[in-house]
Amino acid sequence: ASITRTGGGAGKPVAEQRVVVCGLVKNNAEFLQDSLDRLLGLRRVFGGVKVVLFENDSTDGTVAIIKETQRQHPGVITLLQETNLPANRTNSETIRVLAYGRNRVMRHALQKHPDFDLVIMCDLDQVLARFHAGMVEDCLALYPPGSWEMLTANSYSEYYDIFALRTEANTIWKEPLLDNCWAPLRRPGVRLTKELLYKLVGRHQRVIPPISPIIPVISAFGGLFIAKLSSCHGCAYDARSGESEHVAFCRDFSRGKGGEAGGRIFICPKLQLQAEAIHLVDKVGHS
C-alpha cells in the first residue's frame, strides 16, 4: 500500500502543498548557485514552490546568479533589492539589516502567496551545503500535521545557533537558556576571552542526535525553519533589543499575534544543516 505523506498544510499530502522559500543574500556568489539549486529541488516534493530573495549592496556576482536562475526558472523566483543599507560594520548593524530583510521577504510571502501552506526561511550560505529536498519530505512524514507549527534545523556537528536559542531545560540542555548569550559583554570592563566565549556559548553547543524526537523550544533557527505560513501573520523580526532577530519573531509566533492560537516551535533533529566553523566555539581543554 502507498503511504500518503502529510505536512503542515491541514492534512493535505505533501505533493499537494505549496511552500514559499525566503532568504537573504549579499556577496554570496561562491555558494549561492548551489544553495538555489538545492532549494529548487523542493519542487520534486511540493505541489508548488516560490522563492523570494532579498539582496542588498552586493559587489560580486550575486545579482547576476540570481537573474540567470530567474531566467532558467520563469515565474519561480522574486528578487527584492535595496541599496545603501548599513554596511555591517558592527554586529548590531548586521542584525538590524537581517531583521529588515527577513521582514520584507516574509511580508511578501504573506501578501503575494496568502493561500500557500508553508514557508521556509533559510540562510543561503554554507549551511545548505548538505541540504536536499528529501530531508524536508522525511521530516514532514515523521511529524504529522497538527503536532507543530514551526520546525527549526539541527546541525550535523554541535548545534551552533545559541544566539537564537531560548529553551526551558530538556534532554539536551539540562539548564534553561532564556537570555541573550552575549548580554554579559555589555557590562563595563568585560573583555571577550576564550574562556568567556566557552562559558557564554561553547558549553551550550551540544550534539543533538538525529534520531532524537523533536525538541520543544521558545525560540530557535539553526539556519532554516519550516512553518505554517498562516501562523506567521503579525510576526515581526526585531533587533532593537540586541538579541537575535529570530527571538522577537518566535515570541510573536508562539503568542499567536496573527489571530491564530500560539504556534508551537521545535528543533527537528533529523533536519540537519552544515554548521559553519566560524560559529563553533573551540572546546579544547573543556570536557
Side-chain angles (χ1 to χ4, degrees):
S2 63
I3 298 174
T4 300
R5 296 190 169 201
T6 56
K12 292 190 294 186
V14 171
E16 296 178 10
Q17 294 181 43
R18 292 181 292 175
V19 61
V20 188
V21 181
C22 297
L24 316 184
V25 61
K26 177 182 178 181
N27 288 336
N28 193 26
E30 182 177 359
F31 306 106
L32 181 57
Q33 189 64 67
D34 182 66
S35 294
L36 290 176
D37 290 344
R38 290 174 181 277
L39 293 170
L40 289 168
L42 291 165
R43 292 182 298 170
R44 298 193 298 270
V45 174
F46 292 98
V49 174
K50 297 290 186 181
V51 178
V52 183
L53 304 176
F54 176 82
E55 183 279 330
N56 70 283
D57 300 298
S58 292
T59 56
D60 62 0
T62 291
V63 174
I65 290 170
I66 296 171
K67 291 188 174 180
E68 175 59 20
T69 309
Q70 283 181 307
R71 187 190 67 78
Q72 294 174 5
H73 304 277
V76 176
I77 300 173
T78 297
L79 175 59
L80 311 177
Q81 290 183 277
E82 286 202 27
T83 56
N84 300 318
L85 293 183
N88 301 352
R89 288 183 295 266
T90 65
N91 191 52
S92 60
E93 276 187 355
T94 299
I95 298 169
R96 285 197 297 272
V97 172
L98 289 172
Y100 177 79
R102 294 194 199 281
N103 281 327
R104 282 210 57 190
V105 292
M106 183 62 74
R107 186 162 58 247
H108 183 96
L110 289 165
Q111 292 176 350
K112 301 298 183 181
H113 308 292
D115 54 344
F116 273 46
D117 303 288
L118 300 168
V119 59
I120 290 175
M121 179 71 73
C122 63
D123 290 338
L124 291 166
D125 49 21
Q126 295 177 70
V127 297
L128 296 182
R130 297 164 70 179
F131 173 84
H132 57 86
M135 297 166 66
V136 174
E137 186 177 26
D138 290 344
C139 289
L140 297 186
L142 277 173
Y143 304 108
S147 62
W148 56 271
E149 281 71 48
M150 181 189 293
L151 296 177
T152 69
N154 185 19
S155 304
Y156 281 103
S157 56
E158 296 99 334
Y159 183 88
Y160 76 90
D161 197 3
I162 306 303
F163 189 40
L165 179 65
R166 302 290 183 273
T167 180
E168 301 289 353
N170 53 48
T171 56
I172 302 298
W173 291 280
K174 304 303 182 182
E175 58 188 277
L177 298 176
L178 303 176
D179 301 312
N180 180 359
C181 62
W182 296 115
L185 293 178
R186 297 179 183 172
R187 298 171 188 158
V190 174
R191 282 191 315 111
L192 182 59
T193 64
K194 286 186 177 181
E195 286 297 321
L196 182 57
L197 185 59
Y198 175 79
K199 180 180 179 181
L200 297 179
V201 178
R203 69 190 180 99
H204 302 305
Q205 290 182 326
R206 310 283 177 80
V207 173
I208 305 176
I211 60 172
S212 303
I214 54 177
I215 303 165
V217 294
I218 299 167
S219 169
F221 182 55
L224 182 150
F225 73 61
I226 181 167
K228 185 179 175 185
L229 180 60
S230 60
S231 294
C232 297
H233 283 285
C235 303
Y237 291 93
D238 190 341
R240 288 174 295 181
S241 67
E243 295 185 305
S244 164
E245 73 276 14
H246 298 286
V247 174
F249 186 90
C250 288
R251 186 182 300 120
D252 288 346
F253 190 91
S254 63
R255 290 174 179 172
K257 291 199 70 175
E260 294 198 357
R264 293 160 295 174
I265 303 169
F266 299 87
I267 295 172
C268 182
K270 192 174 180 64
L271 185 56
Q272 293 176 288
L273 300 185
Q274 182 75 46
E276 292 185 87
I278 192 174
H279 297 309
L280 294 173
V281 174
D282 185 0
K283 298 173 181 61
V284 174
H286 300 280
S287 57

